[in-house]
Amino acid sequence: MLNFLLRISLCFSFYMSYCPCLDAGGDNISVTKGVVSRVEPTQYVHGATQLMAIQIDAAINPGNSGGPAIMGNKVAGVAFQNLSGAENIGYIIPVPVIKHFIAGIEESGKYMGFCSMGLSCQPTENVQLRNHFKMQPHMTGVLVSKINPLSDAYGVLKKDDIILEFDGVPIANDGTVPFRNRERITFDHLVSMKKPNETALVKVLRNGEEHAFTITLQPLQPLVPVHQFDKLPSYYIFAGLVFVPLTQPYLHEYGEDWYNTSPRRLCERALRELPKRAGEQLVILSQVLMDDINAGYERLAELQVKKVNGIEIKNLKHLCQLVENCSRESLRIDLDDDRVVALNYESARIATSRILERHRIPSRMSVDLLSEQNSLLMDSAE
């Protein structure tokens, strides 16, 4: 099937039809034909990652995606998204990506994601830039700009390293590697096709000297989740203060132009900040359910929570534990922009029940936090 896909995508006059379920505007099965335009890494809308995709000149409408792309009597991929703002440009997931996904499910029993080195790299197409980093005329590669602290590469590679090769494959100055006959593709494709816990041999240039390192590859999660599929939102309410972990779906609630209409500071952190430790979340005060106990604090909504009683929080679960186990008379919560929330702890606990009842909210915390809290109580009872 893989060889078949590589053969057909070379032919730009090749016709492909995909027959998904029901398309918008009718009840019968939709069949559309298209011509393969290109094969290259593309941002997957639902997967929040960049993987190889096949572009075709056919429309993929709501209800039309998810069906097979067929050539003759063989499946060549799965139709899954279109190009926003353009007409008759759609994408299909190719067989190598599908096979990689299925193999991961069969081996581990659950979807683990596609591997990443956790690097942000800059092309070295400028001659002066290559000379500055002591690259010889025959050398090509990309400059390491940023490294995810949770990746294995964080303890191996360094900022300003030049990555010359990945598993013996030379990387061009524009970050591409050979792909089939006369085509090229970004070297991220080689990384994404690795299985979790597989290793890769990376050749780098550091201070004018060549080094070879072995790096273990893993799927990496961003600090702010891009999607929350099949998962109920997490929240914690205390004294009418509603705390949630920041996610991109939360920012999307500001409308289609969320990048410009959502709080600028939160948006920048969602798109640019990297996690410093495993399990880290960016927790915000999303809103304030009005009551006398929290009067004046409504202006602090949408600020990030930094500390509880002087302890830096790691995630929403940690914040919940710090508040629930508070033994002081006064509870102090430090927010972004050097703002402070101070509450009499016992009065706030009483007010929490009153506020929940007023707003018909069944629980002060989400199911995931409630389960964690119950398990902690059981452990302490034993």
Side-chain angles (χ1 to χ4, degrees):
M1 181 66 76
L2 176 58
N3 292 333
F4 165 76
L5 175 64
L6 296 182
R7 287 200 307 272
I8 63 172
S9 54
L10 278 173
C11 180
F12 285 82
S13 61
F14 151 75
Y15 275 94
M16 178 179 293
S17 64
Y18 49 94
C19 310
C21 303
L22 299 179
D23 192 3
D27 297 326
N28 294 329
I29 291 178
S30 169
V31 180
T32 309
K33 289 185 178 181
V35 178
V36 172
S37 304
R38 60 170 61 94
V39 179
E40 65 180 1
T42 301
Q43 188 73 23
Y44 279 38
V45 174
H46 294 291
T49 187
Q50 193 171 68
L51 300 170
M52 185 168 66
I54 300 175
Q55 181 181 315
I56 57 176
D57 66 344
I60 298 181
N61 301 314
N64 187 256
S65 62
I70 300 172
M71 170 60 176
N73 61 352
K74 295 184 178 181
V75 176
V78 175
F80 77 113
Q81 69 182 33
N82 60 15
L83 181 62
S84 177
E87 292 185 3
N88 296 333
I89 296 181
Y91 295 93
I92 68 172
I93 304 173
V95 171
V97 176
I98 297 172
K99 292 176 70 174
H100 186 279
F101 170 79
I102 294 174
I105 294 290
E106 291 176 342
E107 290 178 8
S108 62
K110 61 180 180 178
Y111 172 63
M112 300 293 293
F114 287 79
C115 288
S116 169
M117 287 183 67
L119 302 179
S120 175
C121 296
Q122 175 184 340
T124 59
E125 296 169 300
N126 185 277
V127 176
Q128 285 75 28
L129 182 66
R130 294 198 297 271
N131 291 339
H132 177 79
F133 288 100
K134 302 177 183 178
M135 294 177 67
Q136 299 298 321
H138 67 278
M139 292 181 176
T140 60
V142 291
L143 175 67
V144 176
S145 304
K146 190 182 296 185
I147 308 174
N148 190 320
L150 300 186
S151 70
D152 187 60
Y154 187 76
V156 179
L157 302 181
K158 296 181 179 180
K159 188 179 183 301
D160 292 346
D161 279 351
I162 302 290
I163 302 180
L164 305 174
E165 296 179 4
F166 181 87
D167 269 349
V169 180
I171 300 174
N173 293 328
D174 62 354
T176 62
V177 294
F179 178 63
R180 302 184 301 193
N181 293 333
R182 298 180 181 179
E183 297 178 76
R184 301 190 68 83
I185 195 169
T186 60
F187 84 97
D188 291 334
H189 170 64
L190 301 180
V191 179
S192 66
M193 288 296 100
K194 288 281 192 177
K195 296 179 181 179
N197 295 318
E198 277 191 341
T199 60
L201 184 63
V202 180
K203 184 177 179 181
V204 305
L205 180 71
R206 180 181 296 170
N207 298 325
E209 298 181 0
E210 294 185 24
H211 302 270
F213 300 107
T214 299
I215 296 176
T216 302
L217 301 176
Q218 290 281 359
L220 298 174
Q221 301 301 321
L223 174 62
V224 177
V226 179
H227 295 296
Q228 293 286 89
F229 294 129
D230 301 324
K231 184 179 179 181
L232 293 173
S234 296
Y235 69 88
Y236 176 65
I237 301 174
F238 186 76
L241 308 178
V242 184
F243 302 101
V244 300
L246 180 64
T247 64
Q248 282 202 26
Y250 177 89
L251 296 175
H252 293 170
E253 292 299 314
Y254 286 88
E256 292 186 2
D257 194 27
W258 62 271
Y259 181 81
N260 294 314
T261 56
S262 62
R264 173 54 46 193
R265 190 175 299 180
L266 296 182
C267 187
E268 289 296 321
R269 288 173 179 170
L271 298 175
R272 303 184 188 282
E273 279 198 19
L274 296 174
K276 299 180 179 64
R277 62 180 77 89
E280 182 180 1
Q281 290 178 323
L282 198 158
V283 181
I284 62 172
L285 172 60
S286 67
Q287 62 177 306
V288 178
L289 304 176
M290 293 305 297
D291 188 83
D292 291 342
I293 193 75
N294 54 44
Y297 291 152
E298 66 277 2
R299 301 181 184 88
L300 305 181
E302 297 177 339
L303 289 179
Q304 181 185 352
V305 182
K306 295 289 191 177
K307 299 177 181 179
V308 173
N309 285 339
I311 301 175
E312 186 175 345
I313 67 162
K314 303 172 184 176
N315 46 44
L316 184 63
K317 182 175 73 173
H318 188 215
L319 179 146
C320 176
Q321 291 173 349
L322 291 174
V323 174
E324 292 291 312
N325 299 327
C326 178
S327 57
R328 301 181 182 180
E329 179 181 352
S330 179
L331 176 73
R332 172 177 173 144
I333 301 175
D334 288 270
L335 306 175
D336 203 5
D337 224 9
D338 295 323
R339 304 299 181 182
V340 177
V341 170
L343 297 164
N344 178 278
Y345 188 68
E346 285 304 318
S347 299
R349 285 180 65 90
I350 296 171
T352 299
S353 300
R354 180 176 67 244
I355 295 169
L356 293 177
E357 183 178 357
R358 180 187 306 148
H359 290 272
R360 302 294 191 269
I361 300 174
S363 176
R364 68 184 185 282
M365 63 183 74
S366 53
V367 175
D368 55 331
L369 296 180
L370 195 59
S371 300
E372 184 74 23
Q373 201 71 17
N374 290 337
S375 62
L376 290 174
L377 290 174
M378 290 177 64
D379 292 340
S380 61
E382 292 176 358

